[in-house]
Each structure stands twice: as structure tokens, then as C-alpha cells.
Amino acid sequence: MIAYGCLGILFLFIIIKIAVYFGRQKKAPTPEDLDETLLTISNPRGDQTS
Amino acid sequence: MNKKKPVRLRPYYKTRYTYEKLRVCKHCRSFTVLWEDKCASCGKHMLIPVMEQAKINAKRSMQSERLISLLITLAAVLFSQTFLQIILCLLGGIALTALLWWFQRKMLETETRRQLDKLLRISERRIIEGIYLNLTTASAAIKDDEQLGYEILREIATIVHNDRIRLQQIMLLQTFVLRKDMELELDPLMLDGFEPALAEYIGELAKIKRELVKNKAIRYVLLYEREILRMKNGAGIMTTVAGAAVRMKKYVDSYPDFIHRYARQLPQERFLRLYQLVRRNPNQSWNGLRDEVSAIYNEKYRWDPEFQKWE
């Protein structure tokens, strides 16, 4: 029975992981967001003038 | 005045996204935007693009999840009491791990971006330190080799946007003999305040690479017209910019008064271009520019064979 319990835990683990991946996919930053993040870091204190 | 030097600038690889220029050392985690092979902090040849590092991080995290999945499968097999249970647990575990692996492969791109975002945010201090190190390299290079100094600053300017770096770039560019085949830029170098070196640079580009003179540059010379006219070759700069502006109708539509003021000083080839534009658009007066062009034409070019074709 413990073996099936482990299998059940594994099943739950996989389902949770897949759900987490789906959730992250929706909230994943776009390349433009990443560019903005980097520019904010490299141009601190409103130093950025374009 | 310093004599200008002929230079051959190293090609500048423009990337689609800014972060593609940033690299990180796998050994000491220092960041750089320069093209160097060795890390300036630890001296090791372990610099890789940040995107590659993010992909490694994403794959590592996925690998850990697969390992956990296999460990649970192993536990299930160990706790099995019959051979059938062993087979069932093994097959079930492998199937579920394969399902997880298949999903992870589909999500690798998204996860890489997420990991890159995480890497940038947790490395804020290191990125700034890396930029400072790059700036130090640039300062040292400028003293020995102005061309190398400019090339380094051009790379840094991809991610650091400030007037100090722009001004340094303009000053260095003004020490080079500029040629049409050079990879030059203008819009990213525009400053907020008036700077004679920038005005001179715009004037020079308007001669050799007039396609770079766009709205931003025209607006700049218009804003600081009075200051530019006080410069030694100020009127010449304004005229060459007006000459560059007549290459496109949209600029004549937007700045007819500016072109009107300098139409008389335009060289023949640029005036011919303006004349062609005026002839092609008979319904537009452009705030008196049409009349001015007609007057100049009658005074100076009426018998010119180049203009006769447009009669």
C-alpha cells in the first residue's frame, strides 16, 4: 500500500508542477520587460535620459 | 584644433534586445557588456551571455524536479511487496516523470525568461559594478587609444543611457575623420542641452550620411539655432541640416520655415532636390517656401540644364 501511496504522491507532485508551470507561463516576463528591467538597473536614480 | 585621425571602427553588432549584450562570468558572477574573452575580475575565460546562464539555471531547476520524481519512483519500487507492484510503480513513475519532462521541454523558453528576470534582479549590485569596471576600462583606453575608447563606450551606451557617455562619444567622434562607410549613429547620441560638439557632429553627418538626420536632430538644431549661428561654422551647419531635411517630403511638411530660411544657401544639388519636391506638389505652398524656391530658381538656376529637365 505504501508503494501506491508513493505513486499517488508522485502523481500529485507532477500535477502541481504542471499547474505551476502553467501559472508561470502566464506571468512570464516578455523580452521587452527584461530589457526594461536591465535598463532600470543600469540607469539608477532617474539617470536615464533618452 | 586637433588634427582628425583616420580610423577603421570595429563592426558594431546591434542586438534585438539590450540584455543580449550583457555577459556573466560563470566563475565569479561578474557582468560585462564588452566583447573581451577573459573576465576582467577573475581573469578566467568563462564569460557567457546572460540568456545562456538563465537557460542553465532553468535546466538545473527542471533537472532537480525530475530527480525528485525519480526518487519518489524509487521509493515506490522499494516499498513494493509483489513483483506486479514493482512493475506497476516503475512504469507509473517512469510515465509520470516522462510527462513532467515533456512539459518542461515545452516550458523551457518561458522558464529561461523567468530565470533571466530573477538573475537580473538578484544581481543588481554586480551589474552596476560590472558597468563601473567597463567604464574604468573605457577611461584607460581613451588615454592610449581613442578609437578603442570610443568602441568601448559605444558598447556601454547600449545599456547605460546618460548624457555624460553620449558627450564622451561625441567628443571622441569629433577626433576621427568620419566617412560614409562608417557605422555611425545620431539619434542615440542626442543630448538635452546645447553642446557645440554635437552641433558640429550633426553638421558633419548631414554632409556624409544625411539619412541619419531625422526629426530629433532637426528639432535640436532648431531649438539651439541661435547658439549654433554664433558658432564659427554655425550657418554652414544649419544649411547642411536643411539640405539633409529636403531629402524627404515629410520633413519639408514639418519644417517649411526652417528650410525657407536656408533655401538660398543650399548647394545646387540640394536645391535641385527641393525644387523637385516643390514641382511634384503643386498644391502645397509650405508657408511661402514655394514662392521662395521659385524666386531662387529664377535668380540662380533658370538656365541650368539640370533644372531644365524639370521644366
Side-chain angles (χ1 to χ4, degrees):
Chain A
M1 276 316 279
I2 300 171
Y4 291 129
C6 288
L7 215 55
I9 291 168
L10 178 61
F11 182 74
L12 274 177
F13 174 72
I14 302 290
I15 294 296
I16 290 166
K17 277 290 147 194
I18 288 172
V20 168
Y21 278 125
F22 266 120
R24 280 180 189 168
Q25 193 187 26
K26 282 181 192 158
K27 283 188 254 166
T30 61
E32 287 77 14
D33 293 335
L34 293 169
D35 253 5
E36 211 178 300
T37 306
L38 177 60
L39 290 175
T40 312
I41 292 168
S42 53
N43 298 281
R45 295 192 309 272
D47 226 18
Q48 193 178 331
T49 49
S50 54
Chain B
M1 195 181 154
N2 290 338
K3 205 178 166 206
K4 294 195 177 202
K5 280 190 297 189
V7 290
R8 185 162 288 278
L9 296 174
R10 157 198 315 254
Y12 174 71
Y13 299 105
K14 203 168 177 191
T15 53
R16 190 167 173 201
Y17 299 108
T18 313
Y19 59 80
E20 287 168 324
K21 283 266 175 196
L22 193 66
R23 292 188 302 154
V24 61
C25 175
K26 275 168 81 177
H27 181 253
C28 67
R29 304 274 161 198
S30 297
F31 288 81
T32 182
V33 278
L34 305 185
W35 58 83
E36 65 219 334
D37 296 325
K38 262 194 324 190
C39 171
S41 291
C42 67
K44 297 223 188 288
H45 289 78
M46 295 185 99
L47 288 166
I48 55 165
V50 279
M51 202 59 176
E52 210 176 301
Q53 182 61 55
K55 199 171 187 173
I56 292 171
N57 294 352
K59 279 185 172 172
R60 200 172 289 155
S61 144
M62 288 174 170
Q63 222 168 24
S64 309
E65 287 166 5
R66 286 200 303 273
L67 193 66
I68 292 171
S69 167
L70 287 172
L71 283 174
I72 300 173
T73 307
L74 187 68
V77 170
L78 289 175
F79 285 115
S80 297
Q81 286 160 340
T82 64
F83 184 69
L84 184 68
Q85 268 187 11
I86 292 174
I87 295 293
L88 280 175
C89 289
L90 203 62
L91 287 178
I94 289 170
L96 286 169
T97 311
L99 178 72
L100 177 68
W101 176 72
W102 180 74
F103 248 91
Q104 286 177 333
R105 274 189 60 175
K106 274 186 78 174
M107 300 293 169
L108 184 61
E109 202 198 315
T110 321
E111 276 300 294
T112 303
R113 274 189 271 129
R114 205 182 65 81
Q115 286 288 346
L116 180 57
D117 187 58
K118 197 172 150 191
L119 178 70
L120 293 176
R121 287 179 196 281
I122 60 167
S123 314
E124 199 172 328
R125 192 178 53 83
R126 281 210 178 96
I127 293 172
I128 294 171
E129 280 170 4
I131 293 168
Y132 275 119
L133 196 61
N134 290 161
L135 283 169
T136 316
T137 313
S139 304
I142 289 167
K143 284 174 198 153
D144 299 333
D145 181 351
E146 285 163 333
Q147 180 190 338
L148 180 64
Y150 169 73
E151 287 164 352
I152 293 175
L153 280 178
R154 188 175 57 176
E155 295 293 332
I156 298 172
T158 321
I159 66 164
V160 182
H161 299 170
N162 68 44
D163 279 1
R164 201 167 63 89
I165 290 180
R166 290 187 190 113
L167 187 59
Q168 268 185 303
Q169 279 183 276
I170 295 163
M171 291 299 191
L172 287 169
L173 279 167
Q174 285 303 87
T175 64
F176 307 148
V177 177
L178 302 180
R179 294 185 318 272
K180 196 178 172 57
D181 62 317
M182 274 178 164
E183 273 182 76
L184 300 168
E185 53 184 9
L186 180 57
D187 276 3
L189 295 179
M190 296 308 292
L191 304 170
D192 286 334
F194 174 65
E195 174 53 50
L198 176 58
E200 270 176 42
Y201 180 62
I202 294 172
E204 220 167 316
L205 282 193
K207 273 189 226 157
I208 59 161
K209 258 191 153 171
R210 59 177 76 104
E211 67 274 13
L212 292 181
V213 178
K214 296 177 189 162
N215 268 316
K216 256 183 164 180
I218 299 172
R219 276 201 296 266
Y220 184 83
V221 296
L222 278 176
L223 185 63
Y224 298 108
E225 189 172 3
R226 204 180 294 171
E227 289 84 349
I228 293 173
L229 288 176
R230 276 201 287 263
M231 286 167 60
K232 197 179 162 195
N233 185 32
I237 292 171
M238 295 306 292
T239 308
T240 47
V241 174
V246 300
R247 79 184 188 282
M248 287 173 101
K249 182 177 171 282
K250 68 173 184 180
Y251 297 129
V252 182
D253 288 336
S254 306
Y255 312 101
D257 296 334
F258 164 54
I259 295 165
H260 184 289
R261 285 200 290 284
Y262 297 95
R264 204 162 275 279
Q265 287 89 49
L266 287 179
Q268 179 176 340
E269 173 250 338
R270 297 321 294 157
F271 183 78
L272 176 61
R273 171 76 195 140
L274 178 61
Y275 180 73
Q276 288 168 355
L277 270 174
V278 168
R279 289 295 297 248
R280 278 186 200 137
N281 298 278
N283 302 324
Q284 281 176 290
S285 79
W286 281 307
N287 238 357
L289 177 64
R290 167 174 290 279
D291 297 337
E292 176 72 355
V293 170
S294 297
I296 298 168
Y297 166 73
N298 285 324
E299 283 171 35
K300 292 163 84 173
Y301 302 110
R302 196 174 180 80
W303 310 110
D304 195 303
E306 282 292 317
F307 286 76
Q308 296 305 313
K309 293 177 203 163
W310 288 88
E311 277 301 324

